[in-house]
Amino acid sequence: MIRAIIREIDLVTAVLLVTGQLTISRVVIAPGGFSLTVSGPLTGSERLESKTGSNAVNALIDVIDLLLAVLLIQDKINVHGVFITFGGSFSLAISGPIFGRPKIEPIMPFLLKNYDDFCSIVSTYFNVDQNLLEVFTKEGEKWR
């Protein structure tokens, strides 16, 4: 059950990346690997865009977001934490073995509370299209 909850968080995050509600925001370097954080209007921050308005840079950011979504759907990477930032916003930390970090096993006793909080935030501020979520779920199963 816990694995299913983590999987759903990954899939919802992928949907939010594809729809532009979340975007890559920072890279966190750690011994042996790195994590990427994603944030956006949904998490209390602004969407990452080119400072100069360059279409090429914005397209590159969109490509990175799509690649992260694909990797989440394929279960190659996972949401593994929350990065709280100055000013009350937060980011979702994403990592996995392809980024040099071990896969996080679901043993956290407060995972259900975190899941309920995540669902509450998403359902309050963003309407996730169930059809799109079902498509991503089916696509993710194909890649396993």
Side-chain angles (χ1 to χ4, degrees), residues 73-74 134-144:
I73 292 166
Q74 293 177 345
E134 287 176 21
V135 168
F136 277 15
T137 302
K138 290 176 186 172
E139 284 299 312
E141 291 303 316
K142 282 185 197 176
W143 291 96
R144 290 183 147 215

Side-chain angles (χ1 to χ4, degrees), residues 22-87:
L22 294 177
T23 186
I24 186 170
S25 54
R26 56 183 59 81
V27 177
V28 179
I29 310 268
F34 64 95
S35 300
L36 302 173
T37 65
V38 296
S39 62
L42 183 63
T43 64
S45 64
E46 295 182 16
R47 181 171 160 70
L48 180 67
E49 294 181 352
S50 167
K51 286 185 179 183
T52 62
S54 167
N55 289 335
V57 172
N58 288 333
L60 179 62
I61 292 168
D62 290 338
V63 167
I64 292 169
D65 292 343
L66 288 174
L67 287 173
L68 288 174
V70 168
L71 292 171
L72 282 164
I73 292 166
Q74 293 177 345
D75 202 24
K76 303 282 185 199
I77 59 175
N78 306 99
V79 174
H80 69 91
V82 177
F83 185 81
I84 299 173
T85 60
F86 182 75

Side-chain angles (χ1 to χ4, degrees), residues 3-4 7 16 18 20 23 25 30 32 41 44 54-55 64 72 85 87 91 94 110 123-124 126 138:
R3 191 72 181 120
R7 187 75 187 122
L16 295 173
V18 169
T23 186
S25 54
S54 167
N55 289 335
I64 292 169
L72 282 164
T85 60
S91 315
I94 299 174
F110 300 108
S123 65
T124 301
F126 184 75
K138 290 176 186 172

